[in-house]
Amino acid sequence: MILLGAYAGLRVSEIAAIRGEHVDLITCTIAITGKGEKTRYIPLHPILQGLAVELPERSWWFPSYVGNHEYGAGGPVLGNSVSAGISKAMDRAGVPGKPHSLRHWFGSSLKDAGVDSLVIKELMGHESLATTAIYVRVPLRMQSTAVNLLPDVQPAAARQRRITLPPNVPVSVIRAVRHSAAM
């Protein structure tokens, strides 16, 4: 369950509803029916491919053995059961956060790796980029790269006064250098 949250970015309700028939090991995809009953196809991470061969080819991956208010015994567990199971595992492992944090990790990790926001939006099953933006933390490294793409429009004389520092210099050092250069 945890791997599906982390490596496919699934909601707990989507994890609960997975059946072996939803997985295609030839194309390495999984069909996920999410909010609004919309189905999306997500590529399976290699870790999930290995997991898929261990789970049933037909029927629910996470069946309820006693039943619940929606299904009898043998039907799927509910999303709140998935959430409780993941929460307990995270607590035991000392991992902070809630099961939904796995979706945030999924989106932020993809963004950190340079994946386009539109691709992340589709993988997460969002209607809009505004929703995806809630999940995705844009790393400072990417923000710095973006800002550094702006053209230098200063006169040549001003460019000659520029102090070049190596990358990854702490802000406190940069401030100290600027302060001493201004004196």
Side-chain angles (χ1 to χ4, degrees):
M1 291 179 186
I2 292 170
L3 294 174
L4 289 163
Y7 287 100
L10 302 184
R11 299 172 179 97
V12 292
S13 59
E14 294 168 341
I15 294 169
I18 294 177
R19 295 179 62 90
E21 297 91 335
H22 299 157
V23 177
D24 184 337
L25 290 174
I26 294 171
T27 61
C28 293
T29 58
I30 185 168
I32 300 297
T33 302
K35 287 185 173 181
E37 296 302 307
K38 292 184 180 176
T39 300
R40 66 188 189 279
Y41 296 87
I42 300 175
L44 284 174
H45 185 279
I47 290 173
L48 296 179
Q49 292 172 32
L51 175 69
V53 298
E54 302 293 324
L55 292 167
E57 287 183 44
R58 301 275 175 247
S59 76
W60 303 108
W61 272 12
F62 307 107
S64 169
Y65 296 103
V66 295
N68 52 55
H69 69 276
E70 289 186 34
Y71 299 93
V77 296
L78 298 178
N80 61 358
S81 296
V82 171
S83 183
I86 293 173
S87 287
K88 286 179 186 173
M90 289 172 74
D91 288 344
R92 282 193 309 267
V95 175
K98 301 188 180 299
H100 203 72
S101 302
L102 297 172
R103 261 176 81 76
H104 289 268
W105 180 85
F106 175 80
S108 290
S109 294
L110 290 174
K111 189 64 182 176
D112 194 30
V115 176
D116 185 88
S117 296
L118 285 172
V119 174
I120 298 169
K121 171 190 158 300
E122 293 298 317
L123 289 170
M124 295 186 79
H126 290 151
E127 283 291 316
S128 73
L129 276 172
T131 305
T132 304
I134 295 167
Y135 287 82
V136 176
R137 175 192 51 78
V138 179
L140 183 59
R141 172 186 50 79
M142 291 180 80
Q143 294 176 38
S144 296
T145 299
V147 169
N148 290 334
L149 292 173
L150 295 170
D152 188 344
V153 295
Q154 295 183 73
R159 280 196 295 267
Q160 290 173 354
R161 288 191 309 254
R162 181 179 301 155
I163 298 169
T164 305
L165 297 173
N168 300 325
V169 173
V171 173
S172 59
V173 172
I174 294 171
R175 286 187 181 129
V177 169
R178 282 190 184 145
H179 180 72
S180 66
M183 298 179 123

